């Protein structure tokens, strides 16, 4: 055992000489005695727990104190440098031996073949590592709008986030989206202004855009020393020290921290003193406790205020989300990442500092949320769990509240991107990876047993939170899942032969469980499989994964836009269904009215006339609503879903003994009859578009957008570029990336996001209907 340098809470490396002198079976045997299994493969320089010659207790290795845990995500616009920042973090924490590069395709968190080829993040990846005694569970999220659900479901379980910005661009389109997602989940965050070495980088511009566009209050904890090519380090405003990286160092590990002195840096010292005083005043305005301290002991001289007091106040302000700390650096040039790691441990919250109301009902029993599912060829489904209370052990039986089923965790792993370490148990506040859960899906709530959930229900009841039926209390105990956005593109997908159809169905089932934003349905007319996704890239990646991971050469039909339909007026219809099956007569007569809604609603708003609602059994009500929802899935014009309709049931006569299936079928047929009689309207998806282009190419870009029925809202100036912001119909933007590259000689970039559905004008609508019917 003394030969092996074992796991650790700090980030010292394993002696590479020692490890190289031991065979892999010896290492495995030593770790097995500790109850740990490491999947050796990549050259990791340390895994959580290996330190010097000391062997920490197994408990401290696997379950550090909750106050020392940080669950954080890295979020940003595409190409702001999230994965590069993550790669540097892993290197400096001693987790990897060499610096990975997105362009070289050898990063730890971008481990899918498609990610390495394209240089983008598609799946969020979790990595666990240690930094100065803190356990950090970090998730690198995608920046591309097609994978926005990946960001959403990861933010749902995080305690804090690092927002990465391109210092030359400031706040970009997708930055706004991820920032809104973080606001929704009330996540404290810190800002890292990356790419300070890039030509055109401007610290002041980026800070101003955070203040204006995100409506946030930036706390400047660092200032850069130089910008663009002259960037060489940062100044810590809190401690009044300058951090300079050794220009001869290849990996950025060598940097020195020097206090600013009147003799050597008079101008910089004056600037930093002013910045520190402004920071103290800003924090005092936001935090009463700090204001009392400042006005009391240090009102005469802010220089005497200890850095620790200011750091504690910034931590409180960050937790309250009244302001965001701002740091800067260049991940690619290895500058500013170590101070960012210090800021993560210092300012972002531990799990116990986040307030989760539902925990009081569990009283320390297990409560966890499944937030992501991956399929592994050898192990089957791998389920990521965020543990909110209690403890998870391997071979533990758990109860899934959503699925109302009991399953067993066969193995428990700590996630290291595509490598995993097997562990015996894990406590609250951690993120775990479990093997053996066959039925658990994204958004499911996991508890220790059914009786534990019922006991929690009774506590809710006793506290008087809810005094309704028990199933309402059970709903109260469910952790909020993830809102899944509606797909905007669809296409047919076919296997190479009929014999391969079951294999394709299996592949799609696995991919759907992994990615809830992917929808698969069967066309009732042609019997073809329809693939629905969030964008061109999304469907392209799914197609590629089916080929590589499941060995199926599938054929995709042309991409179609997911339109919606609605009605413009009020119509009534009646229908009677009279069938005799065996010796039972099924007879239903329905009269209903469908009318358009002023407000937007994806599902039909269902109302009952007083005469119908009086003594309608619950089973009949469910059958009626089921029938109406089914009828709204396919509209009369294009077979697209119907939205923005209100349905009133005026009369319903049911013969005794009629089955609920017949009630449902009659109501559904009656609504379809009404919809056919109404004045119908097609709604098309409208996208928010942001194009960043140089001045020289602005005119051709605007002319092209005018041909695409684009509606330009404003043209902003960002450094030397112009940013065109507007709306454009999704149908007009297919293949836009190729056209834009051609128009601007590859210099422009664009970002898209679904805005809403809007009515098509009559001319475009008739053209679309002619195309669909094959007349044009």
């Amino acid at each position: 055992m003394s030969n092996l340098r074992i796991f650790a809470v700090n980030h010292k490396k394993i002696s590479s000489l020692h490890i190289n002198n031991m065979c892999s079976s010896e290492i495995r045997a030593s770790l097995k005695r500790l109850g740990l299994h490491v999947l050796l493969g990549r050259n990791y320089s340390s895994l959580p727990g290996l330190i010097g010659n000391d062997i920490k207790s197994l408990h401290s290795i696997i379950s550090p104190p909750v106050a020392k845990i940080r669950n954080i995500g890295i979020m940003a616009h595409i190409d702001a440098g999230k994965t590069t920042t993550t790669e540097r973090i892993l290197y400096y924490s001693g987790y990897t031996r060499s610096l990975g590069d997105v362009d070289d395709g050898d990063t730890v968190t971008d481990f899918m073949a498609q990610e390495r080829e394209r240089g983008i993040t598609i799946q969020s990846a979790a990595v666990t590592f240690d930094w100065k005694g803190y356990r950090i569970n970090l998730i690198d999220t995608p920046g591309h709008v097609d994978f926005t659900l990946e960001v959403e479901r990861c933010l749902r379980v995080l305690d804090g986030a690092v927002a990465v910005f391109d210092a030359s661009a400031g706040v970009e389109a997708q930055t706004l989206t991820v920032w809104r997602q973080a606001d929704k989940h009330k996540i404290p965050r810190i800002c890292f202004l990356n790419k300070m070495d890039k030509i055109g980088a401007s610290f002041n511009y980026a800070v101003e855009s955070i203040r204006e566009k995100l409506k946030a209050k930036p706390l400047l904890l660092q200032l850069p020393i130089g910008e663009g090519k002259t960037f060489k380090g940062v100044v810590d405003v809190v401690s009044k020290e300058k951090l300079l990286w050794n220009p001869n160092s290849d990996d950025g590990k060598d940097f020195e921290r020097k206090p600013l002195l009147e003799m050597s840096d008079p101008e910089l010292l004056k600037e930093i003193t002013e910045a520190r005083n402004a920071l103290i005043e800003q924090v005092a305005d936001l935090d009463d406790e700090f204001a009392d301290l400042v006005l009391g002991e240090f009102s005469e001289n802010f220089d005497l205020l200890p850095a620790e007091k200011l750091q504690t106040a910034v931590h409180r302000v960050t937790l309250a989300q009244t302001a965001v700390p701002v740091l800067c650096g260049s991940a690619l040039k290895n500058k500013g990442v170590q101070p960012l790691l210090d800021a993560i441990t210092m300012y972002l919250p531990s799990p116990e500092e986040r307030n989760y109301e539902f925990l009081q009902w569990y009283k320390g029993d297990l409560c966890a949320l499944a937030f992501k599912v991956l399929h592994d060829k050898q192990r089957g489904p791998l389920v990521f769990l965020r543990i909110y209370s209690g403890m998870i052990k391997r071979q533990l039986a758990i109860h899934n509240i959503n699925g109302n089923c009991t399953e067993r965790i066969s193995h428990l792993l700590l996630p290291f991107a595509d490598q995993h370490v097997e562990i015996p148990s894990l406590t609250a506040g951690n993120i775990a990876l479990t093997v053996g859960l066959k039925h658990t899906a994204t958004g499911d709530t996991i508890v220790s047993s059914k009786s534990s959930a019922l006991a929690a229900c009774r506590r809710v009841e006793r506290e008087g939170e809810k005094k309704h039926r028990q199933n309402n209390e059970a709903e109260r105990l469910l952790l909020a899942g993830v809102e899944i956005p509606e797909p905007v593109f669809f296409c047919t997908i076919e296997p190479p032969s009929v014999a391969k159809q079951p294999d394709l169905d299996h592949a799609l089932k696995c991919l759907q469980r992994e990615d809830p934003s992917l929808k698969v349905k069967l066309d009732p007319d042609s019997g073809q499989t329809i693939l629905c996704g969030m964008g061109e890239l999304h469907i392209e990646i799914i197609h590629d994964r089916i080929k590589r991971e499941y060995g199926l050469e599938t054929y995709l039909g042309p991409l179609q836009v997911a339109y919606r339909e609605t009605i413009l007026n009020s119509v009534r219809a009646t229908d009677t269904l009279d069938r005799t099956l065996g010796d039972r007569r099924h007879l239903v007569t329905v009269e209903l009215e469908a009318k358009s809604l002023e407000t937007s609603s994806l599902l039909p708003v269902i109302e009952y006339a007083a005469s119908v609602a009086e003594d309608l059994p619950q089973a009949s009500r469910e059958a009626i609503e089921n029938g109406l929802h089914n009828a709204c899935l396919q509209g009369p014009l294009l077979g697209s879903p119907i939205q923005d309709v209100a349905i009133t049931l005026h009369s319903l006569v049911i013969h005794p003994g009629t089955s609920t299936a017949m009630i449902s079928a009659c109501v559904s047929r009656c609504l379809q009859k009404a919809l056919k009689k109404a004045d119908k309207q097609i709604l098309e998806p409208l996208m928010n578009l942001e194009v960043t282009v140089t001045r020289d190419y602005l005119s051709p870009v605007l002319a092209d957008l005018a041909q695409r029925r684009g509606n330009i809202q404003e043209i902003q100036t960002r450094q030397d570029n112009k940013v065109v912001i507007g709306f454009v119909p999704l149908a007009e933007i297919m293949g836009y990336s190729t056209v834009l590259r051609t128009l601007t000689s590859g210099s422009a970039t664009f970002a898209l996001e679904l805005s809403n559905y809007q009515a098509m004008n009559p001319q475009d609508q008739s053209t679309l209907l002619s195309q669909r019917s094959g007349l044009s």
Side-chain angles (χ1 to χ4, degrees):
M1 214 42 160
S2 59
N3 285 345
L4 185 65
R5 303 192 177 247
I6 292 274
F7 275 178
V9 176
N10 82 358
H11 57 293
K12 294 180 185 174
K13 288 189 174 182
I14 306 174
S15 159
S16 55
L17 182 68
H18 238 44
I19 284 287
N20 292 339
N21 289 339
M22 294 178 70
C23 70
S24 132
S25 60
E26 279 181 83
I27 296 172
R28 279 202 173 88
S30 301
L31 290 173
K32 198 165 187 178
R33 287 198 290 278
L34 259 184
L36 297 162
H37 305 285
V38 182
L39 307 176
L40 296 171
R42 195 195 301 275
N43 280 335
Y44 295 120
S45 55
S46 84
L47 293 158
L50 287 173
I51 90 176
N53 288 315
D54 304 329
I55 298 175
K56 290 262 180 186
S57 76
L58 193 61
H59 184 74
S60 68
I61 291 167
I62 292 158
S63 299
V66 177
K68 294 282 188 181
I69 297 173
R70 297 289 181 272
N71 293 314
I72 63 155
I74 294 205
M75 57 181 209
H77 182 85
I78 192 167
D79 222 20
K82 296 178 296 302
T83 301
T84 305
T85 304
T86 305
E87 200 62 33
R88 299 304 181 262
I89 284 172
L90 295 178
Y91 181 70
Y92 298 132
S93 60
Y95 168 64
T96 52
R97 280 190 186 160
S98 58
L99 287 168
D101 195 302
V102 174
D103 295 334
D104 296 340
D106 61 354
T107 57
V108 173
T109 51
D110 282 358
F111 53 84
M112 283 171 65
Q114 293 88 341
E115 293 177 314
R116 293 187 162 180
E117 283 171 9
R118 295 162 193 265
I120 60 168
T121 302
I122 293 166
Q123 281 192 346
S124 50
V127 279
T128 298
F129 62 92
D130 299 304
W131 177 257
K132 296 184 179 177
Y134 286 85
R135 164 64 49 83
I136 299 177
N137 297 311
L138 181 145
I139 295 182
D140 175 24
T141 62
H144 200 286
V145 70
D146 283 19
F147 309 107
T148 195
L149 179 73
E150 275 293 311
V151 184
E152 175 84 20
R153 65 177 170 182
C154 293
L155 288 179
R156 168 70 189 79
V157 296
L158 297 175
D159 300 317
V162 177
V164 180
F165 298 80
D166 179 337
S168 65
V171 175
E172 298 174 86
Q174 191 64 10
T175 318
L176 281 163
T177 305
V178 293
W179 196 269
R180 281 198 297 267
Q181 287 173 311
D183 279 340
K184 185 166 79 177
H185 296 297
K186 297 185 171 60
I187 291 175
R189 61 218 88 145
I190 56 181
C191 299
F192 179 60
L193 304 183
N194 191 22
K195 304 192 179 184
M196 282 304 303
D197 61 311
K198 189 176 170 182
I199 295 169
S202 167
F203 181 81
N204 291 336
Y205 169 78
V207 169
E208 203 51 45
S209 74
I210 290 171
R211 188 178 283 117
E212 282 180 18
K213 294 184 181 177
L214 301 178
K215 303 292 182 275
K217 291 180 180 169
L219 301 175
L220 306 187
L221 304 188
Q222 290 179 350
L223 292 179
I225 301 174
E227 288 178 347
K229 286 185 176 177
T230 60
F231 176 70
K232 56 184 176 184
V234 299
V235 182
D236 188 327
V237 174
V238 177
S239 62
K240 289 174 47 172
E241 293 174 316
K242 64 177 178 180
L243 284 71
L244 293 174
W245 274 261
N246 183 347
N248 302 319
S249 167
D250 290 336
D251 63 0
K253 276 197 171 177
D254 299 337
F255 69 97
E256 53 182 347
R257 203 180 256 276
K258 287 183 179 174
L260 288 170
L261 301 170
E262 183 73 51
M263 293 168 64
S264 53
D265 302 290
E267 287 181 20
L268 191 55
L269 179 63
K270 185 185 174 190
E271 185 188 345
I272 295 305
T273 305
E274 286 174 7
R276 190 175 192 265
N277 292 347
L279 176 66
I280 290 168
E281 287 173 13
Q282 200 179 352
V283 175
D285 283 344
L286 300 167
D287 187 85
D288 294 341
E289 188 183 329
F290 184 67
D292 294 341
L293 179 75
V294 171
L295 294 171
E297 295 177 52
F298 306 103
S299 57
E300 299 300 317
N301 189 354
F302 284 172
D303 288 346
L304 299 175
L305 181 77
E308 297 77 34
K309 299 280 188 190
L310 180 52
Q311 285 163 348
T312 307
V314 171
H315 176 75
R316 284 198 302 269
V317 166
T318 308
L319 255 60
Q321 293 165 62
T322 47
V324 286
V326 175
L327 297 96
C328 61
S330 168
L332 188 64
K333 294 292 164 53
N334 315 317
K335 294 183 176 80
V337 178
Q338 295 96 328
L340 174 64
L341 274 165
D342 292 335
I344 286 168
T345 58
M346 206 179 295
Y347 303 122
L348 290 178
S350 68
E352 62 187 2
E353 288 176 303
R354 295 296 306 278
N355 181 28
Y356 298 108
E357 275 180 37
F358 56 83
L359 289 186
Q360 59 184 313
W361 314 124
Y362 284 97
K363 302 285 185 195
D365 277 355
L366 173 65
C367 175
L369 180 73
F371 68 95
K372 185 173 166 64
V373 180
L374 283 177
H375 274 270
D376 185 273
K377 285 279 170 60
Q378 278 77 39
R379 298 191 189 96
L382 304 178
V383 181
F384 283 84
L385 295 179
R386 163 67 199 266
I387 311 168
Y388 286 99
S389 69
M391 180 187 275
I392 281 186
K393 299 176 181 176
R394 60 178 176 226
Q395 299 305 324
L396 176 75
I398 53 95
H399 180 69
N400 181 333
I401 296 183
N402 301 65
N404 194 21
C405 61
T406 299
E407 299 193 80
R408 187 173 292 279
I409 295 169
S410 57
H411 298 283
L412 194 61
L413 311 168
L414 268 186
F416 289 90
D418 61 341
Q419 307 276 317
H420 308 113
V421 179
E422 186 160 327
I423 51 172
S425 64
L426 209 56
T427 53
N430 281 289
I431 287 174
L433 190 51
T434 59
V435 182
L437 302 181
K438 299 282 187 282
H439 306 291
T440 301
T442 298
D444 285 358
T445 302
I446 303 298
V447 294
S448 55
S449 64
K450 198 165 189 175
S451 58
S452 164
L454 292 172
C457 276
R458 285 194 287 275
R459 288 185 199 113
V460 177
E461 199 170 21
R462 270 203 300 276
E463 293 290 326
E465 275 281 310
K466 284 210 171 183
K467 293 177 181 170
H468 300 305
R469 297 188 313 278
Q470 188 149 321
N471 66 349
N472 278 2
E473 277 127 30
E475 283 167 23
R476 178 85 176 83
L477 296 174
L478 290 177
L479 308 185
V482 185
E483 282 181 35
I484 296 165
E486 286 297 312
V488 291
F489 274 117
F490 69 91
C491 66
T492 57
I493 182 165
E494 292 179 4
S497 66
V498 177
K500 294 283 185 184
Q501 185 66 47
D503 295 341
L504 176 60
D505 292 342
H506 169 71
L508 290 173
K509 189 179 175 186
C510 292
L511 288 169
Q512 263 187 292
R513 199 170 158 206
E514 266 186 48
D515 179 2
S517 65
L518 172 71
K519 301 271 179 24
V520 178
K521 59 185 185 184
L522 212 62
D523 188 308
D525 298 326
S526 65
Q528 289 177 299
T529 305
I530 310 284
L531 208 56
C532 310
M534 300 303 300
E536 289 178 86
L537 181 63
H538 187 203
I539 286 179
E540 198 179 313
I541 295 291
I542 293 294
H543 184 223
D544 199 23
R545 287 188 65 190
I546 291 170
K547 180 181 173 182
R548 290 187 198 223
E549 294 170 31
Y550 298 93
L552 286 172
E553 286 281 357
T554 53
Y555 304 106
L556 287 186
L559 274 184
Q560 307 281 339
V561 174
Y563 292 100
R564 300 271 170 80
E565 297 178 30
T566 191
I567 58 173
L568 302 174
N569 58 342
S570 175
V571 281
R572 282 175 95 112
T574 56
D575 199 0
T576 302
L577 191 147
D578 188 354
R579 290 260 173 87
T580 303
L581 297 174
D583 56 352
R584 270 176 72 185
R585 187 184 182 199
H586 303 269
L587 175 62
V588 192
T589 303
V590 179
E591 184 184 356
L592 55 75
E593 179 185 16
K595 59 184 176 188
S596 60
L597 269 177
E598 296 286 318
T599 53
S600 181
S601 169
L602 287 177
L603 296 173
V605 176
I606 301 166
E607 296 164 354
Y608 297 91
S611 56
V612 176
E614 270 171 25
D615 50 3
L616 191 64
Q618 182 62 27
S620 299
R621 189 182 288 261
E622 284 174 9
I624 289 163
E625 292 179 5
N626 190 29
L628 293 175
H629 283 126
N630 285 341
C632 287
L633 291 176
Q634 283 198 306
L637 285 173
L638 294 171
S640 302
I642 297 278
Q643 69 172 47
D644 309 342
V645 292
I647 299 154
T648 308
L649 206 67
H650 287 294
S651 82
L652 179 69
V653 180
I654 303 171
H655 187 274
T658 301
S659 71
T660 52
M662 291 297 177
I663 297 170
S664 195
C666 182
V667 169
S668 182
R669 196 168 73 179
C670 186
L671 179 55
Q672 284 172 341
K673 195 186 284 187
L675 293 173
K676 280 177 183 166
K677 288 200 294 187
D679 295 336
K680 297 167 282 290
Q681 171 73 60
I682 294 176
L683 305 174
E684 65 177 342
L686 193 67
M687 309 300 282
N688 283 327
L689 174 71
E690 185 176 293
V691 183
T692 307
V693 60
T694 55
R695 293 169 192 271
D696 306 345
Y697 295 110
L698 180 61
S699 295
V701 166
L702 291 176
D704 179 63
L705 286 175
Q707 290 180 336
R708 295 172 183 270
R709 297 191 283 136
N711 179 3
I712 308 302
Q713 299 295 300
E714 60 175 318
I715 299 171
Q716 298 175 350
T717 301
R718 182 185 290 162
Q719 309 294 78
D720 298 332
N721 292 330
K722 291 290 185 185
V723 181
V724 179
I725 296 170
F727 300 105
V728 65
L730 179 61
E732 303 289 346
I733 213 79
M734 284 210 255
Y736 184 60
S737 54
T738 309
V739 174
L740 188 65
R741 276 199 297 270
T742 308
L743 278 176
T744 62
S745 303
S747 65
T749 58
F750 76 103
L752 278 178
E753 184 188 15
L754 181 65
S755 169
N756 61 343
Y757 275 80
Q758 70 161 17
M760 287 184 89
N761 66 48
Q763 187 183 350
D764 293 328
Q765 181 168 315
S766 60
T767 306
L768 176 65
L769 289 171
S770 300
Q771 284 172 349
R772 287 292 177 94
S773 59
L775 297 174
S776 68

